[in-house]
Amino acid sequence: IQKAFDAFDAAEEVRSVVMTGAGDKAFTAGADISQFDKNRADADAAERYAKISREARETIIGFRKPVIAMIRGFCMGGGLGVALRADVRIASSDSQFGIPAGRLGIAYGFDNVKALVALVGPGVAKQILFTARRYPAETALRMGLIEDMVAPEDLEATVRGYAETIAENAPLSVRASKITVGQALE
């Protein structure tokens, strides 16, 4: 993620970045829970694993240009944490969202909880975390997890339209808005 975002940052012609999953199954389903014993066997292993995830999220947060998450399919757990770092989230109507940590006996990390609360508010964040439910895109839109929902066949064109609209605007104004909104949340 760091290398890709560094390249996008250096390219003047890049006005925004679209993150998406590979294929239609998932934006990202988060960590592979079958690997928890291996990746989180002790405090050192858990910290190494957390560091990789944290650095990826910080790269997205610190990126100067707008980031759009184009979400199709599952957007779960740590994967939702990645989507939370985008400036705008647009999902297909067949997408599903959730944080299963409550069922897995683990805690969702502080920085992910903070981003979730900033996006949906404390009550909805607690609902998502306490129930560990999966939510359809329509509910995610109502909760404020996503900003737009479209039919699967319209997703790419809709996201492309957002990106083109951003590209038509003055880059310094867009950057100033991104910074100002970020500061307003602090």
Side-chain angles (χ1 to χ4, degrees):
I1 289 177
Q2 180 72 49
K3 288 179 184 177
F5 274 74
D6 285 348
F8 296 144
D9 190 47
E12 293 285 326
E13 67 276 10
V14 173
R15 298 286 186 94
S16 66
V17 170
V18 175
M19 297 188 301
T20 189
D24 298 340
K25 186 174 180 182
F27 171 75
T28 178
D32 182 350
I33 61 173
S34 70
Q35 298 291 313
F36 277 12
D37 288 343
K38 176 184 169 190
N39 293 331
R40 299 175 185 193
D42 57 38
D44 290 338
E47 179 51 35
R48 282 191 302 275
Y49 185 83
K51 183 177 186 269
I52 293 168
S53 298
R54 185 173 51 250
E55 287 174 353
R57 290 189 304 271
E58 288 172 358
T59 294
I60 298 166
I61 293 167
F63 192 62
R64 299 179 308 142
K65 301 171 185 179
V67 178
I68 302 169
M70 182 169 75
I71 302 166
R72 177 95 195 260
F74 294 103
C75 186
M76 308 294 291
L80 180 54
V82 171
L84 292 173
R85 295 328 189 272
D87 297 299
V88 177
R89 284 151 299 283
I90 303 169
S92 62
S93 57
D94 60 354
S95 297
Q96 294 184 42
F97 300 81
I99 301 171
R103 283 194 315 271
L104 303 173
I106 59 174
Y108 205 52
F110 177 76
D111 62 328
N112 281 332
V113 172
K114 182 178 177 185
L116 180 65
V117 171
L119 189 62
V120 301
V124 173
K126 288 176 186 176
Q127 176 186 346
I128 292 167
L129 293 166
F130 293 173
T131 66
R133 290 181 180 158
R134 282 190 194 168
Y135 297 94
E138 185 175 313
T139 303
L141 179 64
R142 190 177 70 250
M143 291 174 149
L145 276 176
I146 57 176
E147 283 72 41
D148 201 356
M149 178 189 72
V150 298
E153 62 272 14
D154 297 331
L155 182 61
E156 189 170 337
T158 299
V159 171
R160 185 176 301 279
Y162 272 83
E164 288 172 354
T165 298
I166 291 167
E168 292 168 0
N169 291 329
L172 293 177
S173 294
V174 171
R175 186 169 296 144
S177 294
K178 181 171 175 154
I179 291 168
T180 305
V181 170
Q183 289 177 341
L185 291 172
E186 293 297 321

